[in-house]
Amino acid sequence: MENMNKKEYQRYAEQRVPKPTFLKNNTMAFVVGGVICVLGQFIRNWLVENGLDDKAVAAGTAIILVFLGALLTGLGVYDKIGKVGGAGSLVPITGFSNAVVSPAMEFKTEGLIFGVAAKMFVIAGPVLVYGVGGSIIVGILHLLLKKG
Amino acid sequence: MQTVKFQNPPSIVSTYTIVGPKEGEGPLKDYFDLILEDDMWGQESFEKAESKIQEEAIKSALSNGNLANNDIDYLISGDLLNQIITSSYTARQLSIPFYGLYGACSTMTEALSLGAMLVDGGFAKKVICATSSHFSSAERQFRFPLEYGSQRNFSSQWTVTGAGATVLSADGNGPYVTYATTGKIVDMGIKDATNMGAAMAPAAMDTLISHFNDTGYSPADYDLIISGDLGIIGKSIVIDLMQKEGFDLSEKFTDCGVEIFDHKNQDTHAGGSGCACAATVFNGYIYKEVLKGSFSRVLLIATGALHSTTINQQGESIPGIAHAVTIDINKG
């Protein structure tokens, strides 16, 4: 190894890793993400037909999608969808549901407090922190700009 | 000198291997002593299941050799879990003087090296060396929950579920442990914990070169040189860079992680990993082929990535290590 320094080795090692199949990944993310969104649209239309107002439709659609994500996680299906769909199943709200339910299931063995409750947000926590934090910053900017 | 030549080489008198269902569908399935249908094995957690796997492997290695617990002077074992709980909770059931090791996936050869030194030094008549890993207990400690829908990198490896145990004895008719080369930590700055083959390959090379220099053996003196869990990427790095160092390994060298799974059909990406990878391939495939006479001298070089998720998140790179032992049908 004397004839190679650390930087050279890291570059050499990187070259040995097969490149991700971008085209296939993007296509599958588009298809899977698209299917989830179309499903969401169907749920939305169905709720509108049943006479719910705008606010209730938005909440109802999210609730049903979150439930479906949780159900498919519990049935051991969502990780298989995620393996194929990648970002397509990660970004929609069903992916958020999967990110909360999967650690909650996994850490059941450590009990309801230190297991399920404490570990539930281990993946989704950063999304919540920066999502809510970001929305507060945008809100403050909006308020300032509107006043100015 | 990094290598010990044993004056009275300890003999391997008994081994036992247990693997999970996925390993039991792999190319080496006929070499394992017990294939589990369910990787929980009736236990309520993955950690407890792993402990049961290691315990049963040790007990069965003893009964295979017609030995009782009190025939064994030392139990030397380790695993991947924090505070090596698998090994300690296994040792709790066995009442054998116990040394716990942490060498990550290099544990099998670390245990064999130390066990052979204890026997050769006259401090023990018989020792048992064991290690285990479990896909699901490793995933939850190092990576994501099982049901989380993520995609694995092409360079990532699949932790082997299973355990292997080896009984070394001052008497016996071989095969013998004739040399042990203790590895130094080598860290070439790889930080990607999903590419551990690349992180460990330089350590494997360092130990291999020291071994050849210390013993006077060349790759041609071995029938098989096999690393623990470098996987497809690490293996190709070792062959390529060893060629540049003047050692032609292309014909004799392979890796337990490459052999244990059928990567195309079992979706294991760069190959198997985990303490049990080297342990089950060695105690199953290699030991049985040596007994059959297919190999008369084998160099087993188990490799370990000695990082944790905490230090990795703090931006540190992955220190690699590799310990080598020579298994020979003759006393050397």
Side-chain angles (χ1 to χ4, degrees), chain B residues 14-19 28-36 56-57 60-61 64 163-165 279-280 282-285 287-288:
Chain B
S14 170
T15 70
Y16 200 81
T17 51
I18 300 176
V19 295
L28 301 180
K29 59 178 187 288
D30 298 332
Y31 292 98
F32 301 128
D33 296 300
L34 178 63
I35 296 170
L36 302 177
E56 292 302 321
S60 303
N64 253 2
T280 57
F282 168 66
N283 290 295
Y285 169 68
Y287 177 67
K288 285 171 187 174

Side-chain angles (χ1 to χ4, degrees), chain B:
Chain B
M1 286 281 274
Q2 255 173 271
T3 305
V4 173
K5 180 184 197 304
F6 296 112
Q7 300 306 310
N8 304 295
S11 172
I12 298 171
V13 291
S14 170
T15 70
Y16 200 81
T17 51
I18 300 176
V19 295
K22 191 179 180 83
E23 294 71 21
E25 289 166 2
L28 301 180
K29 59 178 187 288
D30 298 332
Y31 292 98
F32 301 128
D33 296 300
L34 178 63
I35 296 170
L36 302 177
E37 282 173 23
D38 168 19
D39 68 359
M40 290 293 280
W41 212 2
Q43 302 299 299
E44 57 211 28
S45 75
F46 299 126
E47 289 77 9
K48 290 177 188 179
E50 184 182 334
S51 202
K52 181 174 176 183
I53 292 171
Q54 192 186 110
E55 183 186 335
E56 292 302 321
I58 290 170
K59 284 182 179 167
S60 303
L62 294 180
S63 59
N64 253 2
N66 297 317
L67 296 163
N69 291 18
N70 56 14
D71 293 324
I72 304 295
D73 300 307
Y74 295 100
L75 162 63
I76 306 169
S77 62
D79 59 90
L80 284 175
L81 300 184
N82 294 339
Q83 290 82 42
I84 55 167
I85 47 164
T86 309
S87 303
S88 303
Y89 281 73
T90 297
R92 181 174 80 170
Q93 307 300 107
L94 296 170
S95 155
I96 300 171
F98 166 60
Y99 282 127
L101 304 181
Y102 188 79
C105 314
S106 71
T107 305
M108 193 67 236
T109 47
E110 187 181 7
L112 287 172
S113 302
L114 293 169
M117 287 179 196
L118 286 174
V119 173
D120 183 44
F123 303 104
K125 286 265 179 245
K126 286 186 175 61
V127 300
I128 186 158
C129 308
T131 183
S132 63
S133 55
H134 193 298
F135 174 79
S136 303
S137 66
E139 282 298 301
R140 76 200 304 245
Q141 181 175 302
F142 292 101
R143 288 170 282 270
F144 291 115
L146 294 181
E147 297 301 335
Y148 181 57
S150 61
Q151 285 179 327
R152 300 167 64 242
N153 290 0
F154 284 129
S155 58
S156 65
Q157 291 174 247
W158 191 278
T159 307
V160 168
T161 299
T166 316
V167 181
L168 297 180
S169 170
D171 337 290
N173 303 318
Y176 303 95
V177 180
T178 53
Y179 290 92
T181 306
T182 305
K184 292 181 286 199
I185 299 260
V186 180
D187 185 341
M188 290 298 279
I190 301 286
K191 292 183 177 178
D192 181 2
T194 65
N195 191 8
M196 292 206 277
M200 299 186 294
M205 290 171 53
D206 189 73
T207 303
L208 281 170
I209 293 169
S210 299
H211 178 82
F212 293 135
N213 289 341
D214 290 350
T215 58
Y217 283 149
S218 73
D221 292 312
Y222 282 100
D223 298 317
L224 176 70
I225 299 169
I226 186 162
S227 54
D229 60 347
L230 292 176
I232 293 167
I233 294 167
K235 178 188 165 183
S236 76
I237 291 174
V238 167
I239 290 176
D240 185 42
L241 295 184
M242 284 296 276
Q243 191 81 46
K244 290 179 181 146
E245 301 280 345
F247 296 93
D248 180 12
L249 293 180
S250 54
E251 283 175 20
K252 301 286 175 64
F253 180 70
T254 190
D255 178 73
C256 298
V258 171
E259 302 298 325
I260 193 165
F261 292 120
D262 176 350
H263 310 292
K264 291 221 166 71
N265 296 318
Q266 292 192 292
D267 194 32
T268 45
H269 293 225
S273 68
C275 303
C277 188
T280 57
V281 174
F282 168 66
N283 290 295
Y285 169 68
I286 297 169
Y287 177 67
K288 285 171 187 174
E289 285 297 330
V290 168
L291 287 186
K292 272 193 227 165
S294 311
F295 307 125
S296 51
R297 188 183 292 141
V298 174
L299 185 65
L300 175 69
I301 170 165
T303 41
L306 300 177
H307 67 299
S308 79
T309 49
T310 304
I311 196 88
N312 211 218
Q313 283 162 1
Q314 290 171 5
E316 264 290 359
S317 55
I318 301 170
I321 197 157
H323 303 295
V325 291
T326 303
I327 310 299
D328 201 319
I329 52 165
N330 299 308
K331 284 197 173 182

Side-chain angles (χ1 to χ4, degrees), chain A residues 29-109:
Chain A
F30 179 77
V31 171
V32 172
V35 167
I36 293 172
C37 294
V38 169
L39 178 73
Q41 189 61 44
F42 271 111
I43 294 168
R44 192 184 162 81
N45 292 355
W46 176 69
L47 292 175
V48 170
E49 275 167 32
N50 282 283
L52 268 69
D53 63 37
D54 266 5
K55 264 194 166 173
V57 166
T61 309
I63 289 168
I64 293 172
L65 284 173
V66 165
F67 170 75
L68 288 176
L71 181 70
L72 291 175
T73 302
L75 293 175
V77 178
Y78 205 87
D79 62 319
K80 295 186 176 71
I81 300 173
K83 188 174 158 37
V84 181
S89 57
L90 188 86
V91 176
I93 202 165
T94 48
F96 186 76
S97 171
N98 169 251
V100 175
V101 174
S102 60
M105 285 166 65
E106 176 106 10
F107 290 94
K108 205 174 63 199
T109 43

